[in-house]
Amino acid sequence: MNRAKGKVCVTGASGFLASWLVKRLLLAGYQVIGTVRDPEGAKERLQLVKADLMLEGSFDEAVKGCHGVFHTASPVLRPSSDPKKEILAPAVEGTLNLLRSCKKNSSLRRVVLTSSSSTIRVRDDFDPKIPLDESSWSSVDLCEKLQLWYVLSKTLAERAAWEFCNDNDIDLVTVLPSFVVGPSLPPDLCSTALDVLGLLQGQVEKFQWHGRMGYVHIDDVAQCHILVYEQESASGRYLCSSIVLDNNELVSILSARYPSLPIPKRFEESSRPRYDFNTSKLQSLGFKEFKSIQQMLDDCVASFVKEELNSIKQFKNQHEILITKQLQHTQE
């Protein structure tokens, strides 16, 4: 299927992943319509339009005439009081609102939905000796019990997308990235970058909660989205992850590469089941080798330095000046 230089839509275009996806699509020659809440202008072959996840019909104009739609927009913040209103509703209803707009578009060939590896790994009935693959689904009941609202939102949104697209004959492919690491294009750091930056500063709370986690470079995730869009044979779900590490394995790698930073020495052992990922389905589609965890972390740290570490100003603590100097030194 020849989709070179076609017209595509990317929702949530100002986000961490979406901005990389837009960059890669433009480099590949596509015309891109990006949806944002507050459009301020765009580069050549990129048009930004306003859209609201919770407003039905909001995506009609954005997807009109597009051959492909990449749906990356989804709430990621931890809820303050009402998880169903703040996380679940925007994820599920926002996805369905987009797909209703897609249904009206006669030019549409394929929708690529950004899901998450978390939609397959939160369950207590799998064999830890067998790597998880795309056939697995997280348990809704377990997510609710553990109050994993982001995981639940991604699981319910993807399930709703499959049901809608199957009922309405829409060609849907979903990408399931693990924890995305790499350089940030937007000026404001996303939650994953903030978590990495916090770890470099010696903070343990967020990563203690993470436990064992899959990791993947942001550019690999963007390239994966384009691959599953362009390959006509692509179908179903695609797990996108480079490596799975325990927290102690991660901090060991970080400490070796940045020995002068106050990186935690060890974490408490996680009580969650051990798991690994099977990414052979994506590789069988022609995906090349994943970037290493070392490259992910180096690229992420380099982006902090490149932006003159303005993001560190978000952390008013005693390590601020020290970390700024040490990070700059490691990149010299």
Side-chain angles (χ1 to χ4, degrees):
M1 188 181 299
N2 183 8
R3 296 191 174 107
K5 300 184 179 179
K7 182 180 178 182
V8 297
C9 174
V10 177
T11 67
S14 62
F16 178 46
L17 169 58
S19 60
W20 266 93
L21 178 55
V22 168
K23 174 183 176 180
R24 280 296 177 188
L25 287 166
L26 291 173
L27 288 173
Y30 287 93
Q31 178 186 354
V32 181
I33 307 297
T35 71
V36 291
R37 280 177 290 186
D38 297 303
E40 296 180 354
K43 300 178 182 178
E44 183 181 0
R45 287 189 292 106
L46 170 62
Q47 177 186 352
L48 297 179
V49 298
K50 186 174 182 178
D52 187 331
L53 284 172
M54 297 302 290
L55 183 60
E56 186 168 354
S58 181
F59 293 94
D60 286 0
E61 288 301 314
V63 304
K64 186 177 182 181
C66 289
H67 297 153
V69 173
F70 297 86
H71 183 43
T72 72
S74 185
V76 295
L77 297 176
R78 292 179 177 87
S80 58
S81 59
D82 189 345
K84 291 185 177 180
K85 179 180 179 181
E86 298 173 31
I87 301 292
L88 301 186
V92 177
E93 289 305 315
T95 297
L96 291 176
N97 281 337
L98 170 73
L99 292 174
R100 292 185 189 106
S101 295
C102 289
K103 182 182 177 181
K104 304 172 186 177
N105 175 18
S106 59
S107 302
L108 183 70
R109 298 175 183 171
R110 176 168 288 172
V111 174
V112 178
L113 169 70
T114 307
S115 186
S116 168
S117 67
S118 64
T119 65
I120 73 173
R121 62 178 172 77
V122 181
R123 49 188 299 172
D124 52 13
D125 60 349
F126 64 88
D127 185 344
K129 297 179 181 179
I130 302 176
L132 293 168
D133 62 19
E134 293 85 355
S135 65
S136 174
W137 282 92
S138 290
S139 164
V140 170
D141 291 340
L142 184 58
C143 288
E144 291 180 339
K145 178 182 177 181
L146 299 176
Q147 297 186 346
L148 301 177
W149 304 119
Y150 172 76
V151 179
L152 183 58
S153 73
K154 299 299 285 188
T155 302
L156 294 178
E158 189 186 350
R159 284 194 174 279
W162 280 115
E163 182 177 358
F164 184 93
C165 289
N166 288 334
D167 289 345
N168 292 279
D169 197 27
I170 293 176
D171 184 355
L172 174 69
V173 177
T174 62
V175 177
L176 285 56
S178 54
F179 190 86
V180 183
V181 181
S184 179
L185 295 180
D188 296 326
L189 294 183
C190 68
S191 58
T192 56
L194 289 172
D195 287 357
V196 173
L197 185 56
L199 191 61
L200 296 174
Q201 294 177 296
Q203 299 174 15
V204 299
E205 293 81 6
K206 292 180 180 178
F207 269 85
Q208 183 65 57
W209 179 82
H210 287 168
R212 187 170 175 81
M213 183 72 69
Y215 295 88
V216 64
H217 195 288
I218 188 168
D219 195 32
D220 285 341
V221 182
Q223 299 276 27
C224 172
H225 279 69
I226 297 174
L227 176 65
V228 301
Y229 172 67
E230 292 182 337
Q231 289 288 341
E232 188 172 9
S233 61
S235 64
R237 314 171 81 201
Y238 286 89
L239 183 58
C240 183
S241 182
S242 173
I243 190 171
V244 180
L245 297 171
D246 289 321
N247 279 340
N248 287 328
E249 294 174 306
L250 176 65
V251 295
S252 177
I253 293 171
L254 275 171
S255 297
R257 298 187 82 76
Y258 304 102
S260 59
L261 296 183
I263 297 164
K265 299 302 180 184
R266 289 194 63 81
F267 282 82
E268 295 179 10
E269 293 297 329
S270 173
S271 60
R272 297 180 184 177
R274 181 181 177 85
Y275 67 88
D276 281 301
F277 287 141
N278 178 354
T279 60
S280 60
K281 183 180 179 184
L282 179 60
Q283 293 168 337
S284 68
L285 197 65
F287 189 83
K288 297 180 180 179
E289 185 177 357
F290 286 102
K291 294 177 179 63
S292 68
I293 183 65
Q294 290 83 359
Q295 185 170 350
M296 294 178 219
L297 296 169
D298 287 350
D299 288 350
C300 186
V301 170
S303 73
F304 296 154
V305 176
K306 184 177 180 181
E307 295 300 325
E308 298 178 347
L309 299 176
N310 289 331
S311 55
I312 289 202
K313 295 177 182 177
Q314 299 177 42
F315 296 84
K316 299 300 181 182
N317 59 45
Q318 58 183 343
H319 299 299
E320 180 176 327
I321 297 177
L322 173 64
I323 292 176
T324 301
K325 292 181 178 179
Q326 290 176 334
L327 280 177
Q328 289 172 332
H329 176 71
T330 60
Q331 296 301 311
E332 290 178 353

